[in-house]
Amino acid sequence: MSTAPPNQQQQVNATPKHESITGVVERLTYYSQESGYTVARLQRPGAKELTTITGSFADIQPGQTLQLTGFWREHPQYGLQFQVVNYKETKPATLTGIEKYLGSGLIKGVGPVTAKRIVTHFGTETLDIIETQIDRLIEVNGIAKKRIKLIKNAWETQKAIKEVMVFLQSHGVSTTYAVKIYKQYQDKAIATVTENPYQLATDIYGIGFLTADKIARNLGVPADSQFRYCAGLVHALSEAAEDGHCYLPQTELIESVTKLLTTADHQPTADAITQSIKDMALKDELIRERDSDKTLNCYKPTYFHTEQNLAQLVRNRLTYPINPDIPRVRAWLERFCTSRQVSLSAEQQQAVEVAAYSRFTVITGGPGVGKTFTTHTIVSLWKAMGKSIALCAPTGRAAQRLSEMTGLEAKTIHRLLEFDPRSRSFKRDRTNPLPQSAIIVDEASMQDLFLAYSLVEAVADNAQLLLVGDIDQLPSVGAGNVLADLINSGKVPVVRLTQVFRQAATSKIITAAHQINQGQYPNIESISDTPQSDCLWHGGGFQPEHGVQAISELISDFIPNLGFNPATDVQVLAPMIRGLVGTRNLNNVLQQLINPPSPDKVEITRGGTIFRTGDRIIQLTNDYQREVFNGDVGFISTIDTEEQEVIVQYQERDVIYDYADLNEIALAWSVSIHKSQGSEYPVVILPLYTQHYMMLTRNLLYTGLTRAKKLAIIIGSKKAIQMCVRSTKSQERYTRLQQRLVQVSLQ
């Protein structure tokens, strides 16, 4: 199915004549989940050719029989079309129509094969039997009682969902989320939406404030109601958190909410929004706090208390030092290095000594400076000291690398803390701390405020905690700037490794990364001059369309000729989602190149995206029920059209998604540089164009480049690279953890 609507420049008669037609939907050419706009092909009774219909539909599936009212028009490019003004669904009358209708994916448990069996047995009475005598499906060969129950529930759910769809469509909301809304609220769906439409923005992933506000206005909520103002304030703070902020200064919050709530017929005043802020603060729905320069800052309560409590936990840990025995550590280190015929730099030795006797230590440094070997040495020392050790990292891939370099089991932080999806909380906490006496966290720059708090809270008072990470990478995807705040506070013991080792210095990737970090234009050789280098520049022209062509050529020819497999070894990292060289378009291009359609690959289309067996995908949000988290990457192993399920194979296990939840995943042949944190790939392709100027910062280029293990190829203009190198203005994040670490008084 096309991912973009056809050209909608149409020649229409000034007073088109309306008429009615009936037919069976044969296939969808285009369907927009956001607007419902559809281009479909209709089989009309007795017609030899299919009819093209266009219009907005609440829900449309192949096999549906529709009675349509509208008018004919001649499209200059696509020919004669029927523009639908309104429609209603009728039961399909023919056996073919019934079979196509049942097998379209409408009913979970009934795919094309099962549909054919049912229709073959019951004929034109099929739909009536499902409606009134569904237990008779046992007569159909291959349908067991368990499946009949599934079909029965799905049929009833589908009727209820259609009711929700009609309600939502009448209030201008996309049908994409009807199933998710029904799953969330069940029989209370319409009542919940009617009572508090803004609840949708909180509860349903993918539904934002603007959609909820549109429903609210249609339901009669006044533009100046306090209810609407409060919802706008919550939304603005949530949006800020998506950008990494823990709070917003009140002046910025008011400005943001004013833009959000302004409509053609209403302009909110700063005084009115300020009053709403005060009212919410009185009810503890929002917390205000003045910082040292008297600026008034506004927090959602959970962010305020988590930031405050994390600072207190860290300070408490630092008040219980361990009596050091440095001579003993140095003697052990000498024996360790002698037996392995290795040597440590002065910085590495300092890191080991500090970690040996500190309750809380941070080791930071760029690529090639020995973080891995230093961590391995500390693990060996702690084992020699008789300590029980836990290793963890924010992502599965980072945990696997940590395990490989230490020889010990490493887990994701969620696994280590024993996340319980039912309560959406960790079993390990202050009252039930981790049993280990020493905990190491790798890729610590990825920890957001809430994950860092949960981890520190679960470390026993007498245990030691070591954070290892690269402070010069992009900060966490979630809110906060924890590693930087810990380091900059001056309260936590920090060792920065800076010496690049001789072996690492032979890598042009590592050399270029350090040059970028020092504000120098990296020494990257042209792909046409030195194809044996591990860090190359491909001009790719000055326009994004040239970049798309260059990436296609690299994937098709250059990279396979070097012995790499594009399906498993290559990751394209882009600064942005939109645009020709944004992740969205690149995923479509790369999917066709790396995982093209074939008869043995099942595929479905959702939200304009084709998902196909074999596709690499990424999780877009924390899904606590399935225990998959933002940034997790896997491959689609199975698409079950009967069960309406997609099975994704992640590193450790398989995860099942209902069709309704596929907006939680996206293709991952190309991902944003932000989403790549904590991962390493054999080959990285990095398109950089001046059109990305809003995102072009030094730490973005540095992070993207250092994801490459064996080969990095930068595509684009040298001017874009220069813009990255010169820009140190990585977006300021509003956090106060650093200040709290300095100022908080011990309790």
Side-chain angles (χ1 to χ4, degrees), residues 308-309 311-313 315-316 319-320 430 744-747:
Q308 193 175 55
N309 292 339
Q312 189 66 59
L313 285 172
R315 284 291 297 265
N316 286 347
T319 59
Y320 302 105
R430 197 177 311 179
V744 72
S745 58
L746 296 176
Q747 296 177 348

Side-chain angles (χ1 to χ4, degrees), residues 626-675:
R626 295 183 179 86
E627 293 187 71
V628 285
F629 302 98
N630 191 349
D632 286 351
V633 174
F635 286 86
I636 295 177
S637 61
T638 306
I639 297 176
D640 191 326
T641 55
E642 296 230 349
E643 299 294 338
Q644 295 185 31
E645 293 174 344
V646 173
I647 300 176
V648 176
Q649 184 177 10
Y650 288 99
Q651 194 168 29
E652 299 174 337
R653 62 200 176 92
D654 289 345
V655 175
I656 299 174
Y657 293 84
D658 290 337
Y659 280 7
D661 297 324
L662 292 181
N663 66 331
E664 292 186 10
I665 64 175
L667 293 175
W669 302 114
S670 174
V671 299
S672 69
I673 296 173
H674 279 83
K675 291 282 190 182

Side-chain angles (χ1 to χ4, degrees), residues 51 74 224 244 270 287 403 408 435 454 567 732:
T51 299
E74 187 72 28
D224 61 350
I287 291 177
S403 179
L408 297 176
S454 297
E732 176 192 0

